[in-house]
Structures are given as C-alpha cells and as structure tokens.
Amino acid sequence: MHWVCRSTPTLLLKLVIGYIDLALAVRRVVRETGARAVLSMPSGIHAFIAMGARLGGARRVAAHMGTYPWYWKRAAFRKYWLEFQLGRPFTSRIVSCSGYVDDGVRQHLGLADRERAVIYNGIHLDRFAAKPSSHEIEETVGL
C-alpha cells in the first residue's frame, strides 16, 4: 500500500470511506430515479460511481475519457490505474473523445477493444446532426 497513499492510515481510511459514500449515494440516486444507464465524466473515481450505479440497478455504465492517461506521474498514476481496474467489472465501456486518447487507454490502462469506444467530442455527430429540411435547403441555395 506504500505506493497508493503515503499519508497516515487515518487519511487512507477517510479516502476509502469517501469512496464507499460515493458508491452508496449513486446507488440511492439510481434507485430513486430508475436510471437504466449512467455516464460518469470523472475517470478513476468512475469505479465507485459504476459500482453504485450497478448496485442501484443500472444496466449500462460508461465512463468518459477526455484526456490521455497521465502515466508519467508515476505514484499518482498507480493509484489511478488501481481505481480504473477496480471499475472494470462494473463498467460497460470507456468512451474516449478521440483515437489518440483511446490509444492511451489501451496502452497504459490495458483495456481490450470490447471495453472501449471512441465517440469524437462525446457524441455521434452523424446520429445527432441536424438535417436541414427541403425548405431550408431551398432558402440556402436561393430557390
């Protein structure tokens, strides 16, 4: 545990209790709202969000990755890596915002293709792009 937390055991205990509280709070919200899917924006602690979501009944849990994994920050990355691995059984997909970020997730966090997806800018633009009406097209081209 030396590399996970160099602080006092009391601080480590507070951290663990905080993570458990987070999971229980998410569980409560998912149960109260009947949410079937949960998207976690913060990665790392997404593990505890995912645990709570699954315990609350959510069928799908995704975590967003907006930045390349910061593997060069060795001690901090070890904690992040461990949290990430804890969340794997509870997370349906890690959704990266670009191919570059997805490559980092594969290389530094060890996630398989089936555990990852790339959705540029967080949405499928082709699915949500506004399709102009024929009237709008006529106005645009001057018909």
Side-chain angles (χ1 to χ4, degrees):
M1 278 306 232
H2 177 260
W3 54 268
V4 173
C5 183
R6 295 176 190 220
S7 305
T8 64
T10 304
L11 228 50
L12 182 58
L13 181 60
K14 286 181 181 180
L15 182 67
V16 170
I17 290 170
Y19 286 154
I20 292 169
D21 286 346
L22 174 61
L24 293 174
V26 170
R27 177 180 156 248
R28 181 180 45 76
V29 169
V30 168
R31 281 189 173 172
E32 287 174 2
T33 62
R36 295 181 303 179
V38 172
L39 171 63
S40 172
M41 294 305 282
S43 58
I45 66 166
H46 83 276
F48 306 97
I49 293 170
M51 287 174 199
R54 292 294 182 139
L55 289 171
R59 288 185 228 141
R60 306 282 292 171
V61 178
H64 178 264
M65 279 295 286
T67 58
Y68 196 87
W70 28 274
Y71 66 93
W72 57 89
K73 296 182 179 181
R74 299 206 188 282
F77 185 73
R78 287 185 191 124
K79 176 182 175 283
Y80 179 72
W81 182 90
L82 179 62
E83 290 171 348
F84 220 93
Q85 302 312 313
L86 286 171
R88 285 176 82 170
F90 305 97
T91 307
S92 307
R93 290 278 185 288
I94 299 298
V95 179
S96 298
C97 66
S98 71
Y100 170 73
V101 171
D102 184 59
D103 287 344
V105 170
R106 178 188 45 76
Q107 181 179 358
H108 300 292
L109 296 170
L111 273 67
D113 289 347
R114 70 183 183 289
E115 297 176 282
R116 304 182 333 267
V118 176
I119 302 177
Y120 292 93
N121 298 321
I123 61 167
H124 283 293
L125 292 177
D126 56 333
R127 290 186 187 173
F128 295 100
K131 296 188 170 112
S133 67
S134 59
H135 176 36
E136 290 172 317
I137 292 171
E138 290 171 2
E139 286 181 356
T140 302
V141 295
L143 297 176

mmCIF file of all heavy atoms in Angstrom, residues 13-29 45 48-49 51-53 55:
data_model
loop_
_atom_site.group_PDB
_atom_site.id
_atom_site.type_symbol
_atom_site.label_atom_id
_atom_site.label_comp_id
_atom_site.label_asym_id
_atom_site.label_seq_id
_atom_site.Cartn_x
_atom_site.Cartn_y
_atom_site.Cartn_z
ATOM 1 N N LEU A 13 -8.027 5.730 5.418
ATOM 2 C CA LEU A 13 -9.350 5.277 5.846
ATOM 3 C C LEU A 13 -10.419 6.288 5.438
ATOM 4 O O LEU A 13 -11.494 5.911 4.948
ATOM 5 C CB LEU A 13 -9.371 5.053 7.361
ATOM 6 C CG LEU A 13 -10.684 4.547 7.942
ATOM 7 C CD1 LEU A 13 -11.063 3.194 7.336
ATOM 8 C CD2 LEU A 13 -10.582 4.444 9.448
ATOM 9 N N LYS A 14 -10.149 7.575 5.602
ATOM 10 C CA LYS A 14 -11.096 8.614 5.191
ATOM 11 C C LYS A 14 -11.345 8.559 3.690
ATOM 12 O O LYS A 14 -12.478 8.736 3.229
ATOM 13 C CB LYS A 14 -10.587 9.999 5.593
ATOM 14 C CG LYS A 14 -10.704 10.275 7.066
ATOM 15 C CD LYS A 14 -10.201 11.664 7.392
ATOM 16 C CE LYS A 14 -10.302 11.933 8.876
ATOM 17 N NZ LYS A 14 -9.820 13.265 9.230
ATOM 18 N N LEU A 15 -10.296 8.297 2.926
ATOM 19 C CA LEU A 15 -10.419 8.189 1.477
ATOM 20 C C LEU A 15 -11.325 7.015 1.105
ATOM 21 O O LEU A 15 -12.246 7.148 0.295
ATOM 22 C CB LEU A 15 -9.039 8.017 0.844
ATOM 23 C CG LEU A 15 -8.965 7.931 -0.666
ATOM 24 C CD1 LEU A 15 -9.373 9.257 -1.292
ATOM 25 C CD2 LEU A 15 -7.550 7.558 -1.092
ATOM 26 N N VAL A 16 -11.096 5.877 1.708
ATOM 27 C CA VAL A 16 -11.912 4.677 1.435
ATOM 28 C C VAL A 16 -13.362 4.917 1.828
ATOM 29 O O VAL A 16 -14.290 4.578 1.085
ATOM 30 C CB VAL A 16 -11.327 3.440 2.154
ATOM 31 C CG1 VAL A 16 -12.287 2.264 2.094
ATOM 32 C CG2 VAL A 16 -9.972 3.068 1.558
ATOM 33 N N ILE A 17 -13.586 5.516 2.979
ATOM 34 C CA ILE A 17 -14.952 5.819 3.417
ATOM 35 C C ILE A 17 -15.630 6.781 2.439
ATOM 36 O O ILE A 17 -16.803 6.622 2.103
ATOM 37 C CB ILE A 17 -14.959 6.364 4.867
ATOM 38 C CG1 ILE A 17 -14.588 5.238 5.836
ATOM 39 C CG2 ILE A 17 -16.315 6.984 5.221
ATOM 40 C CD1 ILE A 17 -14.325 5.700 7.245
ATOM 41 N N GLY A 18 -14.870 7.744 1.947
ATOM 42 C CA GLY A 18 -15.412 8.678 0.956
ATOM 43 C C GLY A 18 -15.840 7.971 -0.318
ATOM 44 O O GLY A 18 -16.896 8.266 -0.895
ATOM 45 N N TYR A 19 -15.035 7.022 -0.776
ATOM 46 C CA TYR A 19 -15.371 6.251 -1.979
ATOM 47 C C TYR A 19 -16.625 5.405 -1.742
ATOM 48 O O TYR A 19 -17.483 5.302 -2.617
ATOM 49 C CB TYR A 19 -14.220 5.344 -2.394
ATOM 50 C CG TYR A 19 -13.051 6.062 -3.020
ATOM 51 C CD1 TYR A 19 -11.776 5.520 -2.947
ATOM 52 C CD2 TYR A 19 -13.203 7.262 -3.710
ATOM 53 C CE1 TYR A 19 -10.693 6.154 -3.543
ATOM 54 C CE2 TYR A 19 -12.127 7.902 -4.293
ATOM 55 C CZ TYR A 19 -10.868 7.338 -4.215
ATOM 56 O OH TYR A 19 -9.807 7.964 -4.798
ATOM 57 N N ILE A 20 -16.722 4.798 -0.579
ATOM 58 C CA ILE A 20 -17.912 3.997 -0.248
ATOM 59 C C ILE A 20 -19.149 4.891 -0.192
ATOM 60 O O ILE A 20 -20.209 4.541 -0.720
ATOM 61 C CB ILE A 20 -17.703 3.226 1.074
ATOM 62 C CG1 ILE A 20 -16.633 2.151 0.885
ATOM 63 C CG2 ILE A 20 -19.017 2.619 1.562
ATOM 64 C CD1 ILE A 20 -16.146 1.513 2.175
ATOM 65 N N ASP A 21 -19.013 6.055 0.425
ATOM 66 C CA ASP A 21 -20.126 7.005 0.474
ATOM 67 C C ASP A 21 -20.572 7.408 -0.927
ATOM 68 O O ASP A 21 -21.766 7.522 -1.201
ATOM 69 C CB ASP A 21 -19.742 8.256 1.268
ATOM 70 C CG ASP A 21 -19.684 8.029 2.764
ATOM 71 O OD1 ASP A 21 -20.193 6.978 3.235
ATOM 72 O OD2 ASP A 21 -19.113 8.886 3.463
ATOM 73 N N LEU A 22 -19.599 7.622 -1.828
ATOM 74 C CA LEU A 22 -19.919 7.981 -3.212
ATOM 75 C C LEU A 22 -20.723 6.860 -3.879
ATOM 76 O O LEU A 22 -21.760 7.112 -4.501
ATOM 77 C CB LEU A 22 -18.641 8.260 -4.001
ATOM 78 C CG LEU A 22 -18.812 8.501 -5.497
ATOM 79 C CD1 LEU A 22 -19.688 9.718 -5.773
ATOM 80 C CD2 LEU A 22 -17.443 8.661 -6.156
ATOM 81 N N ALA A 23 -20.262 5.629 -3.736
ATOM 82 C CA ALA A 23 -20.955 4.488 -4.339
ATOM 83 C C ALA A 23 -22.378 4.366 -3.790
ATOM 84 O O ALA A 23 -23.334 4.135 -4.554
ATOM 85 C CB ALA A 23 -20.173 3.197 -4.103
ATOM 86 N N LEU A 24 -22.540 4.525 -2.498
ATOM 87 C CA LEU A 24 -23.873 4.419 -1.890
ATOM 88 C C LEU A 24 -24.793 5.560 -2.327
ATOM 89 O O LEU A 24 -25.997 5.349 -2.541
ATOM 90 C CB LEU A 24 -23.762 4.367 -0.367
ATOM 91 C CG LEU A 24 -23.096 3.104 0.192
ATOM 92 C CD1 LEU A 24 -22.903 3.225 1.701
ATOM 93 C CD2 LEU A 24 -23.886 1.854 -0.166
ATOM 94 N N ALA A 25 -24.249 6.748 -2.472
ATOM 95 C CA ALA A 25 -25.053 7.890 -2.929
ATOM 96 C C ALA A 25 -25.525 7.668 -4.370
ATOM 97 O O ALA A 25 -26.686 7.931 -4.697
ATOM 98 C CB ALA A 25 -24.249 9.179 -2.817
ATOM 99 N N VAL A 26 -24.637 7.168 -5.225
ATOM 100 C CA VAL A 26 -25.019 6.891 -6.610
ATOM 101 C C VAL A 26 -26.077 5.794 -6.646
ATOM 102 O O VAL A 26 -27.060 5.884 -7.384
ATOM 103 C CB VAL A 26 -23.788 6.519 -7.460
ATOM 104 C CG1 VAL A 26 -24.198 6.004 -8.829
ATOM 105 C CG2 VAL A 26 -22.849 7.712 -7.597
ATOM 106 N N ARG A 27 -25.898 4.766 -5.844
ATOM 107 C CA ARG A 27 -26.890 3.681 -5.747
ATOM 108 C C ARG A 27 -28.265 4.225 -5.410
ATOM 109 O O ARG A 27 -29.271 3.876 -6.025
ATOM 110 C CB ARG A 27 -26.438 2.657 -4.706
ATOM 111 C CG ARG A 27 -27.423 1.541 -4.474
ATOM 112 C CD ARG A 27 -26.868 0.577 -3.414
ATOM 113 N NE ARG A 27 -27.960 -0.126 -2.794
ATOM 114 C CZ ARG A 27 -28.350 0.020 -1.540
ATOM 115 N NH1 ARG A 27 -27.710 0.833 -0.734
ATOM 116 N NH2 ARG A 27 -29.351 -0.658 -1.069
ATOM 117 N N ARG A 28 -28.302 5.104 -4.412
ATOM 118 C CA ARG A 28 -29.569 5.700 -3.976
ATOM 119 C C ARG A 28 -30.214 6.505 -5.108
ATOM 120 O O ARG A 28 -31.405 6.354 -5.397
ATOM 121 C CB ARG A 28 -29.348 6.596 -2.759
ATOM 122 C CG ARG A 28 -30.615 7.240 -2.227
ATOM 123 C CD ARG A 28 -30.366 8.133 -1.022
ATOM 124 N NE ARG A 28 -29.232 9.038 -1.134
ATOM 125 C CZ ARG A 28 -29.224 10.167 -1.857
ATOM 126 N NH1 ARG A 28 -30.287 10.510 -2.546
ATOM 127 N NH2 ARG A 28 -28.164 10.934 -1.891
ATOM 128 N N VAL A 29 -29.429 7.330 -5.795
ATOM 129 C CA VAL A 29 -29.967 8.162 -6.876
ATOM 130 C C VAL A 29 -30.478 7.300 -8.033
ATOM 131 O O VAL A 29 -31.548 7.559 -8.584
ATOM 132 C CB VAL A 29 -28.896 9.166 -7.371
ATOM 133 C CG1 VAL A 29 -29.331 9.857 -8.654
ATOM 134 C CG2 VAL A 29 -28.592 10.194 -6.291
ATOM 135 N N ILE A 45 -12.310 7.749 -10.388
ATOM 136 C CA ILE A 45 -13.362 7.514 -9.395
ATOM 137 C C ILE A 45 -14.623 6.971 -10.047
ATOM 138 O O ILE A 45 -15.573 6.620 -9.371
ATOM 139 C CB ILE A 45 -13.692 8.762 -8.548
ATOM 140 C CG1 ILE A 45 -14.298 9.871 -9.394
ATOM 141 C CG2 ILE A 45 -12.496 9.225 -7.764
ATOM 142 C CD1 ILE A 45 -14.944 10.960 -8.569
ATOM 143 N N PHE A 48 -16.194 3.788 -8.552
ATOM 144 C CA PHE A 48 -17.141 3.815 -7.439
ATOM 145 C C PHE A 48 -18.509 4.304 -7.887
ATOM 146 O O PHE A 48 -19.533 3.864 -7.365
ATOM 147 C CB PHE A 48 -16.555 4.645 -6.297
ATOM 148 C CG PHE A 48 -15.198 4.132 -5.931
ATOM 149 C CD1 PHE A 48 -14.051 4.728 -6.445
ATOM 150 C CD2 PHE A 48 -15.066 3.003 -5.139
ATOM 151 C CE1 PHE A 48 -12.788 4.214 -6.154
ATOM 152 C CE2 PHE A 48 -13.810 2.488 -4.844
ATOM 153 C CZ PHE A 48 -12.673 3.086 -5.346
ATOM 154 N N ILE A 49 -18.525 5.172 -8.881
ATOM 155 C CA ILE A 49 -19.785 5.585 -9.492
ATOM 156 C C ILE A 49 -20.416 4.378 -10.186
ATOM 157 O O ILE A 49 -21.607 4.120 -10.056
ATOM 158 C CB ILE A 49 -19.560 6.753 -10.472
ATOM 159 C CG1 ILE A 49 -19.126 8.001 -9.685
ATOM 160 C CG2 ILE A 49 -20.806 7.025 -11.304
ATOM 161 C CD1 ILE A 49 -18.653 9.150 -10.535
ATOM 162 N N MET A 51 -19.871 1.146 -9.551
ATOM 163 C CA MET A 51 -20.318 0.176 -8.545
ATOM 164 C C MET A 51 -21.688 0.570 -8.000
ATOM 165 O O MET A 51 -22.599 -0.257 -7.911
ATOM 166 C CB MET A 51 -19.315 0.091 -7.394
ATOM 167 C CG MET A 51 -18.040 -0.607 -7.719
ATOM 168 S SD MET A 51 -16.901 -0.475 -6.309
ATOM 169 C CE MET A 51 -15.347 -0.837 -7.103
ATOM 170 N N GLY A 52 -21.827 1.821 -7.623
ATOM 171 C CA GLY A 52 -23.093 2.303 -7.092
ATOM 172 C C GLY A 52 -24.212 2.214 -8.113
ATOM 173 O O GLY A 52 -25.336 1.815 -7.785
ATOM 174 N N ALA A 53 -23.905 2.554 -9.362
ATOM 175 C CA ALA A 53 -24.912 2.507 -10.422
ATOM 176 C C ALA A 53 -25.401 1.078 -10.634
ATOM 177 O O ALA A 53 -26.608 0.833 -10.731
ATOM 178 C CB ALA A 53 -24.344 3.075 -11.714
ATOM 179 N N LEU A 55 -25.223 -1.434 -8.462
ATOM 180 C CA LEU A 55 -25.969 -1.847 -7.263
ATOM 181 C C LEU A 55 -27.361 -1.241 -7.235
ATOM 182 O O LEU A 55 -28.293 -1.820 -6.689
ATOM 183 C CB LEU A 55 -25.203 -1.454 -5.998
ATOM 184 C CG LEU A 55 -23.939 -2.257 -5.706
ATOM 185 C CD1 LEU A 55 -23.155 -1.614 -4.557
ATOM 186 C CD2 LEU A 55 -24.283 -3.698 -5.369
#
